Amino acid sequence: MALLNPELIRQKAEERTIDNSAKEMLMHTLREGIETVWDRSEMQKPACRFCSDGLSCSRCAMGPCRIISEHHRERGVCGADADLVVSRNLLDTIATGAASHSDHGRDIVETLYKTGKGEAPGYLISDEAKLKRIAEELGIETSQKSNDEIAVSLGYFLLDEFGMIKNSLGFCSRAPEQTREIWEKAGITPRSVDREVVEAMHRVHMGVGANYANILIHGLRTSLSDGWGGSMMATECSDILFGTPAINKSMVNLGVIDEDYVNISLHGHNPMLSEMIVKAAGEQELIDLAKSYGAKGINLVGLCCTGNELLMRKGIPMAGNHFNQELIITTGALEAMVVDYQCIFPSLPRTASCYHTKIISTSDKSKMTGSYHFDFKPENAVETARAIVKTAVENYPNRIPEKVFIPGDPVELYSGFSVEAIKEALGGTFSPLIDVIASGDIFGAVGVVGCNNPKIKHDYGHVTLAKELIKNNILCVETGCAAIASGKAGLLTPDAAFLGGPKLKAVCKKLGMPPVLHMGSCVDCSRILVLLAELAKALNVGIDKLPVAGAAPEWYSQKAVSIGSYFVASGVYTVLGVMPKIAGSNNVVDLLTKDVESVVNAKFAVEPDPKLAAELIISHIENKRKELGI
Ligand code: BF8
């Protein structure tokens, strides 16, 4: 039901987000009675305490069970206690996240393979040098081979990394020796992608894993198969196919929607779809079709991580992050939202039903009730992308002008900070970066990553943490929805250096760089791993010795749990802004926030207040600097 009191509406919007364009749209949705994620979150309250604490189990048909120690229900029907129920649930969560990133990676690797085979018309090898470099790194002979042949060999090699026979992951050799020794000693060196995920599913079956610590250690191994496996493959092969990102300038927030154009938003994660839509939308025939309907042309805008992929490589404007996905529909000026998979609200067709917007699903893994479905595959990518764009253009005359409401002006941002782009900007070597870290001009670096979650005011966690860190001369490297939040808040420009501490400000001024660097989508957290590995190897230490940290201030997704776990397993202290569902087991909490440090020299912390999270991180970096003697 619509809220009619304007003051209440303004207050509610203020409570929900710090994104000004989102605030305007939220007031609009509240006035119009259009349901959003915040409303649904309120309707779900109060949350079940057992579920929040990880103490409910519905894995088998003897249950469902809830562990309630004060009522003598200390064990489920199978006999599992709180530690086991919580740890099994958490391993399930990590495996889901690792599987999601890695299955995305597999789709990209398969596209590379098919491109080499000539079975994916429309796709090209865009970065030939990177194709050769990665192939050679993995021991593939390249000198006598054409690019297509190398793509086939590399694709085959990487597809094999998912399987069970090799029992090793090629990209793990990128980690410093000291870090790999820690993994070996702890028994968490990942053996392949699918093996770790399948084994995780096996271990959570009733009557298999019955020791919480043993279960959680496998969680770390599973997450490493994501970070140094599936996600890294997704990043590297996307760069080969679509180009390695270089520093570029673009715009962000809901204001990138242009009333005069056919607007299409690209939402989801996998660039194999969105890159083809970009090509199709550039075709004169489709632009002319748009003009024939009275539009000035076709305007593509990104959302979430597929948006990040396009922003990083092509400078396509970004409409926003996770919690902007419903609000962009309510502008009334969106002809189509094209989605692939992950982080797409299943209710989008319902939201769109109030407008003319068509939700177009494209993956057979991710069909949605109420969407228009196009079966997109590497083999039919060109025709399907054209058909999708044509559908969007033909929907333009259905737009209802009275419903159009586009908030504010977009904000400028810089993105494209791949490891290669950072190295190039530093003059072809990481030495200048290491020097400024050693001198203390950059006190440390923090990977701020992850999502939006209604438990934290939209973007407040990300932006507040980033501001606190840069104020303390700490460089932020960001991915996913965190990076988009910083973009909307104006932190991704060199001018934002004025918000930094005096030392960081001077470094940013000298190098002309923003104090917060956008390193890409969530699978591109693997770029952060590669950067850390390069820095650690230059200093001849393990990653655990670096003055760095990770943070996920507003995480919601299983993928974010996998990222946090592989950060920690790689030696990076990581602070979460939202408590995972583990509070029901003190032993699990202690293991993850204390004892795991004796295994991988890193641990988790949970701190919802971003200012306090910054304090934890600063003191951690101080300690690491002392240990390094810098
Ligand atoms: O993979 S940050 S809400 S869009 S899960 Fe999703 Fe979280 Fe955004 Fe990208 Ni990542």
Side-chain angles (χ1 to χ4, degrees):
M1 204 174 100
L3 278 170
L4 296 175
N5 180 334
E7 183 46 31
L8 194 60
I9 286 174
R10 197 195 55 74
Q11 207 180 313
K12 244 187 191 308
E14 287 286 344
E15 281 164 12
R16 289 176 171 185
T17 182
I18 63 160
D19 167 352
N20 285 330
S21 62
K23 223 177 270 177
E24 281 188 58
M25 290 315 297
L26 257 171
M27 291 197 270
H28 181 63
T29 61
L30 289 163
R31 273 192 299 266
E32 299 289 318
I34 298 165
E35 180 191 291
T36 60
V37 60
W38 290 275
D39 302 314
R40 292 191 295 274
S41 173
E42 279 180 11
M43 288 186 262
Q44 284 295 329
K45 283 178 184 156
C48 165
R49 207 194 87 203
F50 302 99
C51 294
S52 302
D53 290 354
L55 285 171
S56 53
C57 180
S58 57
R59 299 187 178 280
C60 83
M62 292 193 288
C65 300
R66 290 179 305 173
I67 308 299
I68 315 173
S69 48
E70 58 268 35
H71 289 96
H72 307 293
R73 280 205 233 157
E74 281 157 0
R75 292 179 186 275
V77 177
C78 72
D81 61 9
D83 297 338
L84 186 53
V85 168
V86 169
S87 61
R88 280 195 311 213
N89 287 342
L90 185 60
L91 179 56
D92 189 331
T93 300
I94 294 171
T96 304
S100 305
H101 279 149
S102 299
D103 201 41
H104 159 178
R106 188 198 325 257
D107 284 340
I108 294 283
V109 174
E110 204 174 37
T111 305
L112 176 68
Y113 178 78
K114 287 181 176 170
T115 302
K117 282 259 181 193
E119 293 169 5
Y123 292 94
L124 296 168
I125 306 296
S126 295
D127 191 338
E128 296 177 9
K130 186 155 187 174
L131 171 73
K132 286 207 178 90
R133 177 162 62 80
I134 302 283
E136 282 163 12
E137 182 188 338
L138 295 170
I140 295 165
E141 155 62 32
T142 61
S143 59
Q144 304 297 319
K145 287 183 178 151
S146 68
N147 282 339
D148 282 344
E149 286 168 338
I150 300 172
V152 170
S153 301
L154 178 59
Y156 189 85
F157 179 97
L158 293 176
L159 285 172
D160 206 19
E161 302 267 283
F162 284 88
M164 311 289 183
I165 294 173
K166 274 202 281 187
N167 268 336
S168 64
L169 282 175
F171 285 137
C172 282
S173 55
R174 291 177 163 189
E177 200 187 327
Q178 296 88 334
T179 301
R180 282 183 278 132
E181 274 169 16
I182 290 172
W183 294 345
E184 275 300 307
K185 210 170 142 206
I188 57 171
T189 303
R191 296 158 295 179
S192 78
V193 177
D194 290 353
R195 178 167 191 166
E196 305 312 355
V197 173
V198 171
E199 187 172 311
M201 292 293 95
H202 183 190
R203 283 171 181 248
V204 300
H205 190 282
M206 201 293 281
V208 185
N211 173 289
Y212 74 93
N214 183 261
I215 285 179
L216 294 176
I217 289 294
H218 183 70
L220 296 183
R221 176 157 58 177
T222 306
S223 71
L224 287 173
S225 79
D226 169 3
W228 298 86
S231 279
M232 207 168 275
M233 289 186 227
T235 295
E236 300 296 40
C237 294
S238 295
D239 284 357
I240 291 168
L241 283 170
F242 309 119
T244 302
I247 300 167
N248 70 69
K249 191 160 91 168
S250 189
M251 305 301 269
V252 62
N253 81 20
L254 292 167
V256 298
I257 290 283
D258 193 326
E259 189 171 359
D260 297 333
Y261 284 71
V262 170
N263 291 298
I264 305 175
S265 68
L266 297 157
H267 180 19
H269 285 78
N270 193 324
M272 61 182 270
L273 162 74
S274 46
E275 285 278 346
M276 284 297 152
I277 301 282
V278 172
K279 276 192 190 172
E283 288 179 8
Q284 199 54 49
E285 204 181 312
L286 288 164
I287 295 172
D288 289 343
L289 183 66
K291 287 183 176 166
S292 74
Y293 286 118
K296 285 187 181 165
I298 302 169
N299 182 37
L300 297 182
V301 301
L303 273 170
C304 288
C305 282
T306 224
N308 280 327
E309 300 273 353
L310 294 174
L311 178 73
M312 289 282 285
R313 296 195 180 88
K314 302 272 182 315
I316 302 272
M318 171 66 89
N321 51 7
H322 193 215
F323 280 7
N324 292 113
Q325 63 180 290
E326 291 167 312
L327 303 180
I328 192 175
I329 295 172
T330 63
T331 61
L334 187 68
E335 275 55 56
M337 179 179 286
V338 185
V339 305
D340 47 66
Y341 42 54
Q342 298 170 15
C343 301
I344 296 150
F345 288 144
S347 54
L348 288 183
R350 189 163 172 253
T351 314
S353 69
C354 304
Y355 296 87
H356 74 303
T357 308
K358 287 188 170 169
I359 306 294
I360 299 180
S361 56
T362 57
S363 167
D364 60 5
K365 295 171 198 175
S366 183
K367 291 193 172 175
M368 300 169 84
T369 306
S371 74
Y372 297 77
H373 189 76
F374 286 75
D375 194 17
F376 184 90
K377 300 212 166 357
E379 291 84 350
N380 67 12
V382 177
E383 322 75 276
T384 314
R386 275 189 197 129
I388 290 171
V389 175
K390 188 162 178 270
T391 303
V393 170
E394 286 171 345
N395 196 26
Y396 181 77
N398 297 325
R399 195 189 280 182
I400 305 159
E402 308 82 70
K403 286 199 170 185
V404 173
F405 177 73
I406 302 168
D409 294 319
V411 174
E412 188 180 280
L413 64 76
Y414 285 76
S415 83
F417 290 90
S418 59
V419 176
E420 290 86 341
I422 294 172
K423 195 172 178 183
E424 198 187 315
L426 292 169
T429 158
F430 290 110
S431 302
L433 181 58
I434 292 165
D435 291 347
V436 284
I437 292 175
S439 68
D441 287 338
I442 289 183
F443 193 62
V446 177
V448 185
V449 305
C451 325
N452 298 133
N453 186 319
K455 291 174 182 164
I456 308 271
K457 191 194 254 201
H458 176 219
D459 289 355
Y460 172 78
H462 297 306
V463 173
T464 311
L465 178 65
K467 282 185 175 169
E468 287 297 310
L469 294 174
I470 63 174
K471 200 163 81 188
N472 285 279
N473 301 305
I474 292 170
L475 177 72
C476 291
V477 291
E478 301 197 344
T479 60
C481 291
I484 307 170
S486 284
K488 288 184 284 180
L491 301 181
L492 301 185
T493 66
D495 291 345
F498 84 92
L499 293 166
K503 290 180 175 178
L504 179 64
K505 198 191 318 187
V507 174
C508 290
K509 220 171 161 194
K510 191 168 158 212
L511 296 173
M513 71 176 203
V516 179
L517 304 182
H518 189 333
M519 289 191 75
S521 65
C522 283
V523 292
D524 291 341
C525 288
S526 64
R527 296 191 200 276
I528 298 178
L529 293 180
V530 172
L531 183 62
L532 292 173
E534 290 289 334
L535 297 179
K537 282 190 271 189
L539 292 166
N540 194 23
V541 295
I543 291 173
D544 58 297
K545 300 288 185 246
L546 296 174
V548 299
E554 302 180 31
W555 75 273
Y556 93 87
S557 150
Q558 295 99 323
K559 292 179 289 170
V561 183
S562 180
I563 294 170
S565 301
Y566 71 64
F567 271 13
V568 168
S570 300
V572 180
Y573 171 67
T574 298
V575 183
L576 305 176
V578 177
M579 179 67 171
K581 295 176 205 154
I582 58 171
S585 163
N586 291 337
N587 282 331
V588 170
V589 172
D590 283 351
L591 191 145
L592 295 172
T593 58
K594 289 184 201 139
D595 305 340
V596 70
E597 197 166 22
S598 64
V599 183
V600 291
N601 287 350
K603 61 183 179 182
F604 283 102
V606 180
E607 179 47 68
D609 180 337
K611 291 190 178 171
L612 297 179
E615 282 177 21
L616 291 175
I617 289 170
I618 293 162
S619 108
H620 168 79
I621 289 177
E622 249 163 21
N623 289 338
K624 287 290 164 187
R625 294 188 66 91
K626 269 187 212 142
E627 275 173 38
L628 266 179
I630 56 174

